[in-house]
Each structure stands twice: as structure tokens, then as C-alpha cells.
Amino acid sequence: NAGVMQNPRHLVRRRGQEARLRCSPMKGHSHVYWYRQLPEEGLKFMVYLQKENIIDESGMPKERFSAEFPKEGPSILRIQQVVRGDSAAYFCASSPRLAESNEQFFGPGTRLTVL
Amino acid sequence: SQQGEEDPQALSIQEGENATMNCSYKTSINNLQWYRQNSGRGLVHLILIRSNEREKHSGRLRVTLDTSKKSSSLLITASRAADTASYFCATGYGNKLVFGAGTILRVKS
């Protein structure tokens, strides 16, 4: 049973370009979470999605960031017109349901570098 | 903010010694979890302790929870060089996990 998969693992973009980060949850998981980790900091929640629905986007920056989790295919975190401050590791996690335990299974992350 | 905080920020010990990391949080919780992150890698779930539990063991790991003090500790016994990593506590808060800034553990062989 494959774990959470993210690609690409490393992504380099120039300022002003777009970044697309993909996350395939564990088999049977219908809940996806995105977190961002700045250097030497803990993870910060960005958004929580179920299939075709954004449930909680309270951690998403108001502009340039969007997320989706379509009926088919991976979840996508999209960052438009990237700036240097977007450089970070972006982690996706999944869970089979909104379990009372909140246990989430994390992917290996995508490290975004903005030049 | 429910942000947890770990202390110490960094810990350096010799192989074979025990390592203790602490975590404090601010609001009521259903559970608290500990994760490990090796340098440049993803997070590995270590252990979950529920609010009605006081202590939990998993191999060389022992976690305690004191809800009256809103704090938890992670003890790694007989540490190994492979335990070198960052350790984070996380509290479940609605849909999301709220992480502390982590403790960087270095185990010297």
C-alpha cells in the first residue's frame, strides 16, 4: 500500500512563474491537507480538502495560492506569480476520514526554490 | 493561537543516553501527536496520546501527557545515532494539526 506521494520532490521557479505541486493521497483516503514549512520552523496548516470540496482554507494566503482536489486525479496546490518568500517545503497529508484522532499520513514534501 | 512549543530548541547527547523533549500547548485538546523529521525529509508519525491517557509507550519511546499543565514530554531511551532528527509535537485542532517549532536532536556516536 503506497504512502502519500508528492511530485515533484524539488521544484525551481523564477520570480513571477507559476508553481504546481501535486499530491496523491494514500489509497482509500479522501481527505487531503496541505502544510508549508519555512526553514527551521514547524509546519503551518494551509488548506484541508475533500474530493471536489475545499473544507478549510484558513491558512491559505489570500492571493496567488489556490488548491483543488478533483474527483479524479491528485490534489494540486497552485502558486501563481511566485516570489522569493514562497520558497519552502510544502507537505501534503491524507487521512481516511475526519478521524477523531486527527492522525494524518504525510508525504515526502516538495521543496520549492524561487530564484 | 494554539501553537505548541517545544523545548529545548536543540539537544545534543551521546549515543546510549536518554533524550527528553517537552511540548506545551494552549487550548484543550483531544489528542497530541509526536512526529520525527529527518533532515530534508517528510514527517514520520511516532505516537499519539489521547487526552484521557497519561502515558504511552512504543518501543524506546515514552510519551507523557499532563492536561492540567497543558504539556507533554517525549522520552527516547538508549538513543542511537539514527535518532538524529527534528521532533515535533502536534495538537489536533478541528481539521488541522498545529505544530510546534520542533526540537533538533543530535545523537553523537
Side-chain angles (χ1 to χ4, degrees):
Chain A
N1 186 12
V4 177
M5 299 174 68
Q6 291 187 247
N7 70 81
R9 296 290 305 278
H10 300 273
L11 182 61
V12 179
R13 285 286 178 268
R14 296 191 181 279
R15 281 180 297 169
Q17 292 184 320
E18 178 180 286
R20 279 182 177 242
L21 289 62
R22 296 174 191 79
C23 168
S24 296
M26 286 181 70
K27 187 177 182 181
H29 287 194
S30 58
H31 297 238
V32 166
Y33 314 80
W34 285 94
Y35 293 82
R36 177 166 64 177
Q37 184 180 32
L38 295 172
E40 299 185 11
E41 292 189 11
L43 277 70
K44 299 285 197 301
F45 169 81
M46 298 180 75
V47 62
Y48 159 49
L49 310 101
Q50 295 177 25
K51 286 282 188 183
E52 300 184 279
N53 286 301
I54 296 173
I55 307 302
D56 180 353
E57 56 182 347
S58 58
M60 287 277 271
K62 295 283 186 271
E63 298 176 346
R64 302 187 298 106
F65 285 71
S66 62
E68 62 177 11
F69 189 17
K71 187 176 180 180
E72 301 290 338
S75 176
I76 306 286
L77 179 67
R78 183 182 176 205
I79 311 172
Q80 294 178 290
Q81 298 175 317
V82 296
V83 300
R84 288 212 173 111
D86 297 332
S87 294
Y90 292 83
F91 290 94
C92 168
S94 72
S95 68
R97 60 190 181 283
L98 184 56
E100 76 174 66
S101 70
N102 297 101
E103 185 171 354
Q104 298 173 14
F105 298 83
F106 282 82
T110 292
R111 275 152 186 83
L112 172 66
T113 301
V114 179
L115 301 176
Chain B
S1 163
Q2 191 177 353
Q3 189 73 37
E5 295 186 6
E6 287 96 338
D7 81 270
Q9 289 185 317
L11 181 61
S12 183
I13 58 173
Q14 291 293 136
E15 204 166 26
E17 294 181 337
N18 296 341
T20 299
M21 289 160 269
N22 304 296
C23 167
S24 61
Y25 56 92
K26 296 181 180 177
T27 65
S28 297
I29 59 171
N30 291 326
N31 61 73
L32 185 144
Q33 305 179 47
W34 284 89
Y35 287 83
R36 184 185 73 222
Q37 183 180 36
N38 290 86
S39 180
R41 308 288 292 274
L43 273 74
V44 174
H45 185 265
L46 294 176
I47 198 164
L48 179 152
I49 186 166
R50 302 184 193 284
S51 59
N52 61 353
E53 297 176 309
R54 291 295 167 261
E55 188 170 309
K56 202 160 183 181
H57 296 254
S58 176
R60 293 184 296 112
L61 305 180
R62 181 174 80 104
V63 168
T64 62
L65 179 65
D66 186 336
T67 53
S68 66
K69 295 181 180 177
K70 292 186 169 57
S71 67
S72 173
S73 67
L74 170 67
L75 168 67
I76 304 174
T77 60
S79 64
R80 304 166 182 169
D83 295 328
T84 294
S86 294
Y87 292 82
F88 297 91
C89 69
T91 51
Y93 185 58
N95 309 314
K96 56 200 168 216
L97 294 175
V98 179
F99 286 83
T103 292
I104 300 172
L105 173 66
R106 182 182 171 214
V107 181
K108 295 178 283 188
S109 55

